Amino acid sequence: MDGIRDTARQRLRDTIVDAARAQAVAVGWDGVRMGGVARAAGVSRQTVYNEFANKAGLAEALARREVDRFVADVRAVLRRHGDDVRAGAYAAIAHTLTEAAGNPLIKAILTSARGGSDALLPYLTTRAELVLDEATGALLEWAGHRLPEADPAALAFAADAVVRLVVSHIVLPQAPPDRTAQHLTNLALHLLSATTPPGGHDVTGGRARRAAPPTS
């Protein structure tokens, strides 16, 4: 019985979040109202408050689900390229930039962030754990399997730096996604290569070259 109740409640929450997402895309997050979400979801306003407490709670649930879906897609893209680190890194970065540019929710987030006090943008930036932790974890897991000799602390820093760079180009794009992905991939490879000891495997699949000794 508990399992049935949990499933029913999750279905209810998904329906409410779906309604909130549709409204955020249509009018921007600042225009979303709890009553409007309730009507669209076919539930009472009190039910929405019971499940999410307030609009901030609903925003967090919406952002959480969007991030989970986004990161799951990135994981799938990384796995698709096996041990080819360059191809995997480029595909994941290009996918992320392209999907973000065409994602109607993210467009609504960025648009609503131009004004108002309760925009969704903080859930992608100042509340960085929603994006950075999940995306960094996916990249770190993938890179760790392909760079077993890497220093764990250095690899964690490199993964975090790559994700932060990608997110910054989502928020403030400066070039088409494919061009940006090429530049970010080159930078990512440099950062990842620096995590392996001299003579270890580099991210292109060969052996990392030892640095030449200093000349007097």
Side-chain angles (χ1 to χ4, degrees), residues 73-148:
D73 288 344
V74 171
R75 287 181 184 274
V77 171
L78 287 169
R79 288 195 299 266
R80 199 173 300 147
H81 291 273
D83 292 330
D84 190 334
V85 177
R86 176 179 286 276
Y90 174 81
I93 292 171
H95 171 82
T96 299
L97 295 172
T98 301
E99 288 297 304
N103 185 314
L105 177 59
I106 291 181
K107 283 185 176 180
I109 291 169
L110 297 177
T111 300
S112 67
R114 295 173 185 170
S117 59
D118 64 343
L120 266 176
L121 186 63
Y123 292 90
L124 296 180
T125 53
T126 57
R127 296 194 178 190
E129 68 274 8
L130 283 176
V131 177
L132 299 181
D133 286 357
E134 293 291 337
T136 299
L139 180 58
L140 190 56
E141 177 185 351
W142 171 79
H145 286 301
R146 286 149 186 83
L147 297 170

Side-chain angles (χ1 to χ4, degrees), residues 37-60:
V37 171
R39 287 191 296 272
V43 300
S44 69
R45 190 167 179 267
Q46 188 58 49
T47 296
V48 177
Y49 277 102
N50 288 345
E51 291 298 325
F52 300 100
N54 50 40
K55 189 177 177 181
L58 181 57
E60 188 151 5

Side-chain angles (χ1 to χ4, degrees), residues 146-150 193 195-210:
R146 286 149 186 83
L147 297 170
E149 298 169 341
S193 292
T195 69
T196 59
H201 290 282
D202 72 12
V203 293
T204 62
R207 301 293 297 182
R209 292 178 297 179
R210 291 186 179 275

